[in-house]
Amino acid sequence: MSRLIVWRHGNTDWNANHRVQGQTDVALNALGRQQAVDAAELLIKMKPDAIVSSDLHRAADTAATLAALAGLSITHDKRLRERYFGNWQGLTMTEVAELYPDQHYRWTHGQEVGGDVESLADLGSRVSEALHAAAALASPGGTVVVATHGAAARQGIGHLLGWPLEQLRTLRALQNCHWVELTHDRERGWQVAAYNVGPFTDRPVPPPV
């Protein structure tokens, strides 16, 4: 049985201010850097064979904390980037609701947003492709850690598991520096072993954007 850990990046100032990041390359803040260190100290116990990351700095720098402990290099994959949110990027969610009320309504109700926002179908497809590629790096029975983003992680996992959007919406958003543990074997395929695991269970959940 092989294992895939899908890990959300640490906190950023835009997370803290409920500002839409999307594919804007926002750096970790001091809290996010500490979260990454604390999470890495737990993840190193899983003895990862490989580490793969989005090339955006908030994910890549999160992954780097684990790579330093594990003595591994990082493979960067652009397919693991966050969902592209178009004109929403840089706005607070309050501003999005004011400027794009119809799109905001569709987003809050789990529908395709439209406009220049990347579709959920496209997001799920590209991220799940990256997850498959990352899983192939594991030795037999080994573990690969993938550092990515909130919306990307949830939609990519859902696509990988073949879940409909309605089922995927029942999952709570991943907290910063929390992860999903997936296992795979020939008989059962992909299964969720653990969800939203990490060292900061008492912190509020910033929007996964």
Side-chain angles (χ1 to χ4, degrees):
M1 179 180 292
S2 59
R3 181 166 55 184
L4 187 65
I5 304 297
V6 184
W7 185 21
R8 187 188 178 194
H9 62 79
N11 193 262
T12 72
D13 287 344
W14 283 27
N15 283 149
N17 295 323
H18 301 284
R19 193 172 297 278
V20 180
Q21 295 178 117
Q23 295 187 7
T24 309
D25 201 3
V26 183
L28 295 175
N29 57 23
L31 171 60
R33 291 190 294 273
Q34 186 59 54
Q35 288 175 332
V37 170
D38 293 344
E41 290 176 351
L42 297 177
L43 289 170
I44 192 63
K45 298 175 183 178
M46 298 184 183
K47 300 179 180 179
D49 298 309
I51 302 171
V52 183
S53 175
S54 159
D55 62 336
L56 297 179
H57 279 92
R58 59 189 183 274
D61 290 348
T62 297
T65 60
L66 178 60
L69 291 179
L72 296 171
S73 59
I74 301 171
T75 300
H76 296 98
D77 190 333
K78 291 182 179 180
R79 293 175 296 182
L80 292 168
R81 286 184 177 187
E82 182 58 292
R83 185 180 187 183
Y84 178 67
F85 279 93
N87 290 331
W88 291 23
Q89 294 181 179
L91 301 176
T92 65
M93 292 309 300
T94 299
E95 291 168 336
V96 170
E98 292 173 351
L99 294 171
Y100 305 100
D102 293 340
Q103 288 186 342
H104 184 264
Y105 175 88
R106 292 194 291 272
W107 180 72
T108 56
H109 288 76
Q111 303 168 9
E112 293 289 8
V113 172
D116 60 353
V117 176
E118 183 178 14
S119 73
L120 292 172
D122 288 347
L123 174 64
S125 177
R126 70 168 167 86
V127 176
S128 65
E129 287 178 0
L131 294 179
H132 274 294
L137 299 175
S139 61
T143 298
V144 174
V145 176
V146 175
T148 184
H149 308 264
R154 186 163 63 171
Q155 204 64 35
I157 289 167
H159 196 277
L160 187 74
L161 297 170
W163 288 3
L165 290 178
E166 294 77 11
Q167 183 176 359
L168 197 55
R169 275 177 55 77
T170 65
L171 292 177
R172 183 184 179 193
L174 280 177
Q175 293 176 263
N176 285 117
C177 258
H178 280 53
W179 58 85
V180 182
E181 180 181 344
L182 302 171
T183 59
H184 184 273
D185 61 42
R186 292 180 181 178
E187 289 76 27
R188 290 177 289 266
W190 287 104
Q191 293 186 304
V192 178
Y195 185 82
N196 227 348
V197 181
F200 298 101
T201 56
D202 60 340
R203 297 191 185 278
V205 183
V209 294

